[in-house]
């Protein structure tokens, strides 16, 4: 029941994943059974196939919506799709969990139900940011707003493993997001995190600045979730800002309006790779399980890709490798 | 001697300001006298006029360059243009100070030599950010990386006065940059600053998110200098990122290269208003004086506009109004 268009987009994306991928995995739908069956019937009618054998349904009557306070909702809505789904995963009845629901609730429930990996103080979520030379992981993307130096260090370790395992880059380079390149720069947390990173066996490239994020100078950009959230939301707002500016520019005269029309088309092509749907969602790193968290507005294509990411995370053993690294640095 | 092109750009910009503005003010050049005289001769040769009566020269042989450690340089280079210029201002021999030199040194020297205004814990610099509805002030822009809630509150007060006095907006609205709109959001400092702002007589619009900065939702966006620096540098890097993406897009085929050419032209027009030169520089708020700090790469036009900003800050009594407001909230 997660996301703004549940269960329609969840079901459509899942069926597409099953149809496209053959027998690689099966899907367990968790939510109000009748709603899911109704949706499956509607969707099957549209496509004709449905591949019924590859999915099962587990009933979970409670729905946590986007406006619910995460922790309160988890207590009062015991049988939500988030809670029941994560319990299935914990109990080995599913190999991974995927949701586009209330992010705070998915985070809390994942940490509570799956438990933290050994040596991890703060599980984290990163975000893939497009750069001039492929995607880089910005971590933490908003999960942990107040961080101690050790937490920033953990993000660096887990982020490196993510990039190496999921993006297939070896020896991922790590940059600490800061206000200057010199080791002496930064707020208190960044200053101390620099030392922890410097001493470690990570491929630490030193401090990076705000202007370095989009150049792809490093594979992993480490920051606290306060900075990460603000930076990501700022970045997401840039295309709309440019579009508004172009619209005003276009209104000035006919030539401008032609230029703006073409510019907008060019911009659209360029912006395509900023599209979160292509990647789907990112795993919560540092818990004992695979919990993939997607955008609230996830489309069927985004859900399909989230399922692929979950399958990849299991197959490539991201969790095992995170656990191994964290024990090494504990 | 401040900025990457001193003294050429400083002198040219100053002469332009004098020529354009008539008798509104005079300029005191501070720096190695011979360098200034040589430059004035070169410049006068180019334009023919020179308006010699409107400027004077005060000799300051030491030069603090961009790579000097601010506090060490201020101690060893006692007779730098920064130190001597600020002392002239403190002693009433100049009504304002303008520099595009080593930012850290200008900041430290301004605070040390001019002194902090009463009730101000942390003097601050804001940056003007273009939005869909005119400029907004992001404050702190990088001066103070570790901030207590009270400091964020001070930035809000001083930022409001700046917008009202220098940009002529009445009842400037203030937003606290945060990870969500609800009062319960944020890191510890933001959470407490929210309460201080809420209780005050400021026109507090509540929390704003990263995505709200460019929409012009508020006139003043308050954050610590760590977030401010990273956000501003990230924003500055967006045009280059888009340009690189457009170049790659253009390489794909001839049609794309035409589209990209036109798009780039459109983008350039749109980006013009992001141009810092138009505004020149922003004053350091919260010191007993007018100290305008400009971009290291300031052009003659930027210097000209910095001088105008200094003259405005004096005429509109920004400092007096900041002092009044800070005493009210002390």
């Amino acid at each position: 029941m997660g996301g703004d268009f549940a269960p329609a987009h969840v079901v459509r994306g899942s069926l597409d994943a099953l149809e496209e991928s053959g027998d690689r995995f099966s899907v367990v739908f968790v939510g109000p059974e009748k709603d899911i069956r109704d949706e499956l019937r509607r969707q099957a009618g549209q496509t004709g196939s449905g591949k019924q054998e590859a999915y099962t349904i587990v009933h979970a009557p409670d729905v946590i919506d986007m406006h619910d306070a995460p922790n309160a909702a988890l207590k009062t809505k015991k049988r939500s799709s988030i809670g029941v789904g994560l319990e299935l995963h914990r109990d080995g009845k599913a190999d991974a969990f995927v949701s586009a629901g209330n992010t705070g609730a998915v985070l809390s429930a994942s940490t509570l139900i799956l438990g933290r990996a050994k040596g991890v103080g703060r599980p984290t979520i990163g975000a893939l940011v497009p750069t001039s030379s492929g995607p880089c992981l910005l971590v933490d993307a908003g999960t942990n707003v107040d961080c101690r130096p050790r937490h920033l260090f953990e993000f660096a370790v887990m982020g490196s493993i993510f990039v190496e395992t999921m993006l297939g880059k070896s020896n991922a380079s790590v940059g600490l997001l800061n206000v200057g390149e010199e080791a002496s720069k930064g707020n208190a947390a960044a200053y101390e995190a620099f030392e922890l990173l410097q001493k470690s066996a990570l491929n630490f490239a030193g401090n990076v600045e705000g202007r370095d994020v989009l150049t792809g100078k490093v594979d992993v950009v480490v920051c606290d979730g306060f900075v990460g959230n603000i930076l990501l939301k700022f970045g997401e707002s840039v295309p709309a800002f440019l579009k508004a500016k172009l619209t005003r520019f276009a209104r000035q005269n006919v030539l401008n309006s032609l230029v703006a029309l073409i510019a907008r088309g060019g911009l659209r092509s360029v912006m395509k790779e900023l599209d979160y749907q292509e990647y789907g969602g990112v795993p919560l790193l540092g818990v004992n399980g695979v919990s993939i968290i997607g955008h609230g507005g996830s489309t069927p294509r985004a859900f399909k890709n989230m399922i692929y990411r979950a399958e990849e995370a299991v197959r490539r053993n991201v969790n095992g490798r995170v656990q191994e690294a964290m024990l090494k640095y504990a």
Side-chain angles (χ1 to χ4, degrees), chain A residues 36-81:
Chain A
I36 298 172
R37 290 216 181 278
D38 286 353
E39 189 59 41
L40 278 164
R41 207 167 297 125
R42 234 191 322 270
Q43 301 282 0
Q46 278 172 33
T47 64
S49 106
K51 232 190 171 230
Q52 203 163 341
E53 70 281 11
Y55 61 77
T56 50
I57 299 172
V58 170
H59 183 53
D62 297 343
V63 175
I64 295 178
D65 72 27
M66 305 310 255
H67 305 290
D68 278 324
N71 290 324
L74 288 170
K75 272 182 204 150
T76 54
K77 298 179 176 177
K78 290 270 179 213
R79 298 182 64 205
S80 68
S81 56

Side-chain angles (χ1 to χ4, degrees), chain A residues 17 40 104 123 131 199 231 233-234 255 260 295 303 323:
Chain A
L40 278 164
T131 79
K199 284 190 301 192
L231 199 60
K233 285 184 181 162
F234 179 81
L255 180 63
H295 199 286
F303 274 105
Q323 182 61 87

Side-chain angles (χ1 to χ4, degrees), chain A residues 309-329:
Chain A
R309 291 300 86 74
E311 190 264 345
E312 264 172 34
V314 173
R315 182 159 42 86
R316 298 181 184 178
N317 191 22
V318 175
N319 276 17
R321 296 188 54 183
V322 162
Q323 182 61 87
E324 200 180 314
M326 289 310 301
L327 288 175
K328 186 173 144 199
Y329 287 115

